Amino acid sequence: MNSGGWKTKNKFVSDKGEENNNYRDEADKEQEKRKEEIGLYKRKIDLIVFLPDSLLINEPSLREKTYKYLQIVRSLSIFRVNKLVIYHDPLLDIEPRYDKELIMKLHNYYLIPPYLRKKLIPIDPMLKYVGAAPPLRLLIHSVGSKPVIGEYRQGYVEKKHSSYVLVDAGLKKLVRVKCIDGCPSREKVILFKLTSTRPLEGEYRKLYHSILYTGPILEYIDDLFREIKKLRDNEYYLMATSKYGKKVCLNLLSSLRKSFRELYRGIVVLFGAPYYGLYEIFRGYGKSLEEYVDIVINILPNQGTKTVRMEEALHSTLSIINLII
């Protein structure tokens, strides 16, 4: 007979009353907390996504463009993509200058912590519908109005001194942040760790910017092929997506998983445009897709719809990659 308690079909009942259940509840909470904390950090293997500058061309209104771009940024952030690179679609008849300006403003808005937006982002008609979309909620942004020792926060540097800075971090008072390895020179928004609540104090290390995930960096490029060549030379694995590519299967994923961990510094995933796939885009540049990438994959074989939207293809592809890196 078990002296510590007895089992029912679905649970363990302890002779010590609720003590065992409380312990297991706390253990589950701690386990979930540790899982969540992983999302605070950047990936050990770089993950970079390439999208065309025509990504919003199908959206007729500012509201729809805003909502679609948030979906894209959310997918990138959920899977901790390090960088979003936007290349020019050569088959596009018009230069999407308005969309470029909108994308840059939306990207900056979403990656600023909510408690700093009023201070840092002026009223702008292009940001009219940001409130209609669901919030991004990066883990680094998910801090409360009350300070907690040990938490990481982003803050706006109000004043600089030789060994510390005064930072607005969405709290009632400015935080005195000690510079452990030198104060920030140009950055206005910094990452720091809260070390005291009375008084409000924290510490700044350059390392925090290297390891903590604050969303994908946005970069526009003029020369797609020069950028691809540079990444290949730096030992990045280049993956193109196309309905004409290899169908995803367990054997393919297993071999890719081994390659990623042993041979490459990072992974680059290229996506086509709303009207044209990567094969057509590369032909538009007079190039062959297979010469520039390591693999072309079909992430959604036997799809049940005639078309797959860019944001759907992006999320589906990153879901698979997330399992193997």
Side-chain angles (χ1 to χ4, degrees):
M1 183 175 178
N2 187 346
S3 60
W6 50 276
K7 289 184 178 180
T8 67
K9 184 176 181 181
N10 295 318
K11 64 181 180 180
F12 178 85
V13 179
S14 171
D15 291 338
K16 299 179 180 179
E18 295 297 320
E19 183 179 345
N20 190 63
N21 286 336
N22 291 339
Y23 171 79
R24 295 186 67 176
D25 288 343
E26 289 301 316
D28 289 343
K29 288 178 182 178
E30 184 64 26
Q31 187 175 9
E32 287 302 314
K33 181 180 177 182
R34 288 178 182 177
K35 287 180 181 178
E36 186 178 83
E37 284 177 351
I38 294 174
L40 274 172
Y41 299 95
K42 294 180 180 179
R43 291 183 178 275
K44 293 180 180 179
I45 297 177
D46 274 352
L47 182 54
I48 301 173
V49 167
F50 277 60
L51 294 177
D53 57 0
S54 56
L55 75 165
L56 298 181
I57 196 170
N58 279 340
E59 313 312 316
S61 70
L62 177 60
R63 180 190 288 270
E64 290 168 297
K65 288 178 186 290
T66 300
Y67 192 82
K68 179 172 181 174
Y69 191 69
L70 174 61
Q71 287 182 296
I72 289 172
V73 176
R74 274 190 62 82
S75 289
L76 297 173
S77 301
I78 286 169
F79 299 107
R80 288 181 292 153
V81 171
N82 298 79
K83 183 189 290 188
L84 169 61
V85 178
I86 297 184
Y87 65 90
H88 180 57
D89 178 355
L91 304 179
L92 195 64
D93 293 332
I94 58 171
E95 183 79 18
R97 292 179 181 173
Y98 173 82
D99 283 354
K100 179 177 180 179
E101 184 182 0
L102 175 63
I103 285 170
M104 294 178 72
K105 287 184 176 183
L106 288 173
H107 198 92
N108 179 59
Y109 178 87
Y110 290 136
L111 267 57
I112 293 290
Y115 52 83
L116 291 179
R117 286 174 184 163
K118 187 177 290 187
K119 176 186 287 289
L120 299 181
I121 301 176
I123 295 174
D124 189 325
M126 296 184 84
L127 301 176
K128 180 178 179 180
Y129 294 109
V130 289
L136 181 60
R137 297 198 68 184
L138 286 170
L139 286 183
I140 197 69
H141 294 173
S142 300
V143 291
S145 57
K146 293 183 178 180
V148 177
I149 294 175
E151 70 181 1
Y152 295 102
R153 280 183 177 258
Q154 289 175 288
Y156 177 77
V157 177
E158 294 280 5
K159 294 181 181 180
K160 288 185 181 181
H161 298 270
S162 58
S163 61
Y164 69 93
V165 290
L166 294 177
V167 170
D168 180 352
L171 301 170
K172 293 180 179 180
K173 297 180 180 180
L174 297 181
V175 184
R176 187 180 189 274
V177 178
K178 183 180 179 182
C179 303
I180 302 300
D181 51 4
C183 288
S185 56
R186 296 181 180 179
E187 300 98 329
K188 295 301 291 181
V189 177
I190 66 166
L191 282 162
F192 69 94
K193 186 176 183 178
L194 205 65
T195 57
S196 170
T197 58
R198 294 185 179 181
L200 278 174
E201 292 180 344
E203 65 174 30
Y204 166 83
R205 297 177 187 268
K206 294 176 183 178
L207 174 68
Y208 296 156
H209 285 274
S210 302
I211 64 172
L212 293 170
Y213 185 69
T214 56
I217 298 168
L218 175 63
E219 180 181 348
Y220 272 82
I221 58 170
D222 298 320
D223 192 328
L224 172 62
F225 302 98
R226 183 175 62 191
E227 190 68 20
I228 288 176
K229 184 178 184 303
K230 182 174 73 174
L231 288 166
R232 291 196 75 171
D233 291 344
N234 287 324
E235 299 178 342
Y236 280 75
Y237 188 91
L238 270 72
M239 178 187 294
T241 58
S242 170
K243 63 181 179 181
Y244 304 112
K246 290 183 180 180
K247 292 183 179 180
V248 171
C249 63
L250 291 176
N251 288 337
L252 176 61
L253 294 177
S254 179
S255 63
L256 288 176
R257 180 185 178 92
K258 185 176 180 181
S259 298
F260 293 159
R261 296 195 170 187
E262 294 180 0
L263 302 175
Y264 298 98
R265 290 179 54 192
I267 304 164
V268 178
V269 191
L270 291 91
F271 291 86
Y275 293 132
Y276 308 99
L278 284 170
Y279 280 103
E280 291 89 346
I281 289 174
F282 272 65
R283 280 198 293 269
Y285 277 113
K287 308 285 186 180
S288 170
L289 178 61
E290 279 87 355
E291 291 180 10
Y292 283 86
V293 300
D294 296 292
I295 191 171
V296 184
I297 61 167
N298 178 3
I299 207 76
L300 290 169
N302 308 317
Q303 65 194 51
T305 56
K306 187 173 182 179
T307 60
V308 176
R309 293 172 64 86
M310 179 182 290
E311 60 272 29
E312 296 165 345
L314 175 65
H315 199 91
S316 301
T317 303
L318 294 177
S319 297
I320 296 296
I321 293 175
N322 189 55
L323 297 175
I324 57 178
I325 63 172

